Amino acid sequence: MTAWHSKSRLIVVGLLLAALLFGTASMVWFQVTVPSPVQEIQVEVRGTDATPAVPALALVSAAAALALTIAGPRLRWVVAGALTAAAVGAVFSVVSAVADPERSAASTVGETAGIIGSQSQHSITVWPWLSLAMAVLLALAGAWILVAMRSWSTTGVTKYRRERDAGAAAVQGASGAEAVDGGTGAVHDPDAARRDGIDTWDALSEGEDPTGR
């Protein structure tokens, strides 16, 4: 198994990218200047406000990456597929927000400035582009996990089966050695001598001669 097929390595990569996606989505994406009769109002719009789907999908991706640590061979496909789908959804959400910043910032601008109109000036910061990069990388990581999982299941299951069979053979061999005395086919009973001694004492107590049996 190569380093890029390692289960633990890919899970860590998925968790790291999901965390970075969530972090960049929490930053200021748009800076809006709203004109007013008195003075211009500056409004900062974070990614969590512009498109709440992105941080939510980042959390879904992180949960899916964690679930891969305990998922069985069949469930892994579902979990990895959910991770990839969440990342692809985040890509489309970021692109949609950047393509129309006025619509994405309208709710926050309206709550902060109380004014919504086409006269507002919107500038895009670097953070939505970084979010887009993290979402794309996360989608690629999810797709690669779907490919690399084939080596996970065969390696783990085969090793477990070999160890289980070896253990069963050892237990069976030990049981056979205890049951057969010296390979003669006679069953060895360690309690036989003790039971004979008890029967002898009982016979003497009842007035019988055990040597005559």
Side-chain angles (χ1 to χ4, degrees):
M1 180 186 296
T2 64
W4 291 108
H5 285 77
S6 171
K7 177 180 178 181
S8 58
R9 185 185 297 271
L10 290 176
I11 289 176
V12 169
V13 169
L15 286 172
L16 179 61
L17 290 174
L20 290 174
L21 176 59
F22 185 88
T24 54
S26 303
M27 306 305 291
V28 176
W29 281 20
F30 308 114
Q31 293 179 340
V32 184
T33 302
V34 183
S36 70
V38 179
Q39 63 179 4
E40 294 181 342
I41 302 174
Q42 302 294 329
V43 180
E44 294 183 341
V45 182
R46 297 183 179 274
T48 50
D49 297 322
T51 172
V54 173
L57 291 171
L59 291 177
V60 171
S61 300
L66 286 174
L68 285 173
T69 61
I70 58 173
R74 294 184 179 179
L75 186 59
R76 288 173 188 165
W77 294 96
V78 178
V79 175
L83 189 156
T84 307
V88 172
V91 171
F92 282 104
S93 297
V94 175
V95 171
S96 177
V98 173
D100 191 355
E102 183 177 349
R103 178 184 59 82
S104 302
S107 177
T108 303
V109 171
E111 293 176 358
T112 304
I115 301 173
I116 299 177
S118 58
Q119 299 300 322
S120 301
Q121 297 179 355
H122 300 74
S123 61
I124 303 176
T125 67
V126 69
W127 294 108
W129 304 113
L130 291 177
S131 292
L132 180 60
M134 295 302 105
V136 171
L137 291 175
L138 185 59
L140 293 175
W144 180 246
I145 288 174
L146 288 170
V147 175
M149 279 193 310
R150 299 175 182 177
S151 61
W152 298 356
S153 57
T154 54
T155 301
V157 172
T158 302
K159 180 179 178 182
Y160 170 76
R161 186 172 296 152
R162 285 200 305 266
E163 293 176 350
R164 183 189 61 186
D165 294 344
V171 171
Q172 185 176 2
S175 301
E178 293 177 356
V180 179
D181 186 10
T184 60
V187 177
H188 176 67
D189 188 356
D191 293 333
R194 182 175 60 83
R195 286 198 300 269
D196 290 342
I198 294 174
D199 292 342
T200 300
W201 280 108
D202 290 341
L204 289 173
S205 300
E206 294 175 1
E208 298 181 1
D209 183 7
T211 60
R213 294 183 179 181

